[in-house]
Amino acid sequence: MCLQFITFGFACTPLYFVWEKAIGMHECKSLCKRAAARLPVVIPIWFLAIIFPFFGPINSSVGSLLVSFTVYIIPALAHMFTFKSSAAREVLYLLHTYCYCFALLSSHLLELNLNMEKLAN
């Protein structure tokens, strides 16, 4: 526990210096005033440290809010914007045909491979 306090002090000292310089307290001789001036730096860090063990639920809620945009909406908008012209749609048609044939062929080859393994065993 003592090591954590020392590490916190080492990590926050540069922040204290910058904060005290920003608010004009860097030349103050009173330790109480300087300690009070450091509270706006310490309190958000402590708040984040308290929240960090519960990062999983926070990450899940942020992910659930952003996943639909990043996976469905943004790619669909980009697709519509990219293939707006008829020439681009013809290239897209050829690309889709190629991808469909490749997927069909690879799935049949995978199924054939699995059947061969079953026969071997």
Side-chain angles (χ1 to χ4, degrees), residues 103-119:
L104 189 64
L105 180 65
S106 61
S107 65
H108 284 298
L109 289 176
L110 180 64
E111 186 178 345
L112 180 65
N113 187 21
L114 290 174
N115 288 335
M116 293 299 282
E117 286 180 6
K118 284 182 184 177
L119 288 174

Side-chain angles (χ1 to χ4, degrees), residues 2 12 20 32-33 35 37-39 46 51-53 59 62 67 69-70 74 82-84 94-95 104 106 110 117-118:
C2 183
C12 288
E20 289 172 1
C32 292
K33 287 182 182 177
R38 292 177 178 183
L39 284 177
W46 280 354
I51 288 176
F52 191 72
N59 193 22
V62 169
V67 152
F69 289 105
T70 57
I74 294 173
T82 303
F83 298 107
K84 194 171 16 177
L94 293 174
L95 180 65
L104 189 64
S106 61
L110 180 64
E117 286 180 6
K118 284 182 184 177

Side-chain angles (χ1 to χ4, degrees), residues 2-109:
C2 183
L3 181 63
Q4 292 170 343
F5 283 112
I6 293 170
T7 305
F8 180 79
F10 281 140
C12 288
T13 299
L15 293 174
Y16 295 151
F17 290 153
V18 171
W19 177 249
E20 289 172 1
K21 185 93 169 170
I23 64 171
M25 293 287 286
H26 61 286
E27 292 183 12
C28 182
K29 299 293 181 194
S30 172
L31 289 177
C32 292
K33 287 182 182 177
R34 289 177 77 182
R38 292 177 178 183
L39 284 177
V41 174
V42 172
I43 290 173
I45 294 172
W46 280 354
F47 182 69
L48 290 173
I50 289 170
I51 288 176
F52 191 72
F54 309 108
F55 186 69
I58 294 170
N59 193 22
S60 297
S61 49
V62 169
S64 67
L65 292 173
L66 296 178
V67 152
S68 59
F69 289 105
T70 57
V71 173
Y72 300 113
I73 297 170
I74 294 173
L77 290 174
H79 178 72
M80 290 188 315
F81 181 74
T82 303
F83 298 107
K84 194 171 16 177
S85 69
S86 61
R89 284 194 299 273
E90 285 184 28
V91 172
L92 178 67
Y93 175 74
L94 293 174
L95 180 65
H96 280 182
T97 305
Y98 172 76
C99 289
Y100 177 74
C101 291
F102 179 76
L104 189 64
L105 180 65
S106 61
S107 65
H108 284 298
L109 289 176

